[in-house]
Amino acid sequence: MPFIMLPFLMLWETVSYFEGISFFIQYSAIILSFLGGVLWFDGIHNNRTPLFLYLSMIPLLTAWLGVIWLPPLLSLIILAAAFIVLIVYEFTLSSLAIWYRSLRIRLTAITIGCHLMIIWLICSTN
C-alpha cells in the first residue's frame, strides 16, 4: 500500500515532497531487502551453493546503498532497476511456486510504476 499511496499523497500535498520521497525510498529499500530474504530462504531450503547465498545478499546491499549514500533520484532509479533484475533472476529459479511468480509479476509492475511516478515528480519539480 505505501508504494501506491505515497505518490498520490505527495500529489495531493498531504505529505510533504521531501518526506514523501524519503518515506518511499525507505519503504522500497525494506521491500527489496525482504525479497533478498526470499532468495536466502530458497537457497537454504534447496541446498544451493554458498555463492547463491552470497548473491541473495545483493538486494539488501543495494537497498542500503540507496538509502544511505545516493541522492534521491539516483536511488529511485537503482531501486527500480534492482526490482526488475531481481524478478528476472527469480524467474531463472525453477523452485519458486507458480502462484509466487504470478504474484511477483503483478506486484513488481505496480512497484515499478510507482517508482516511475516518484521519479516523474522529482523531475517535474526541478
Side-chain angles (χ1 to χ4, degrees):
M1 290 304 288
F3 277 136
I4 296 169
M5 291 175 57
L6 279 168
F8 290 106
L9 292 173
M10 290 172 62
L11 281 171
W12 298 327
E13 298 178 356
T14 306
V15 173
S16 78
Y17 174 81
F18 295 106
E19 284 180 328
I21 291 171
S22 177
F23 295 161
F24 189 91
I25 290 171
Q26 291 170 31
Y27 186 73
S28 180
I30 290 167
I31 297 302
L32 189 61
S33 299
F34 171 79
L35 292 173
V38 171
L39 290 179
W40 181 269
F41 173 79
D42 179 72
I44 299 279
H45 187 264
N46 293 305
N47 296 319
R48 298 198 187 271
T49 65
L51 176 61
F52 183 88
L53 294 175
Y54 296 135
L55 290 174
S56 71
M57 290 185 255
I58 291 174
L60 169 67
L61 296 173
T62 303
W64 178 64
L65 290 172
V67 170
I68 301 297
W69 283 330
L70 299 175
L73 182 59
L74 183 57
S75 178
L76 287 163
I77 293 168
I78 288 174
L79 289 167
F83 279 103
I84 294 168
V85 169
L86 186 59
I87 195 170
V88 169
Y89 182 65
E90 282 181 346
F91 276 43
T92 66
L93 305 173
S94 60
S95 59
L96 298 176
I98 298 298
W99 67 265
Y100 179 78
R101 291 173 184 231
S102 176
L103 177 68
R104 282 285 284 126
I105 289 170
R106 289 189 302 262
L107 292 177
T108 299
I110 292 167
T111 298
I112 298 305
C114 292
H115 277 75
L116 292 173
M117 284 179 69
I118 298 290
I119 290 168
W120 175 79
L121 284 169
I122 290 173
C123 292
S124 67
T125 58
N126 288 336

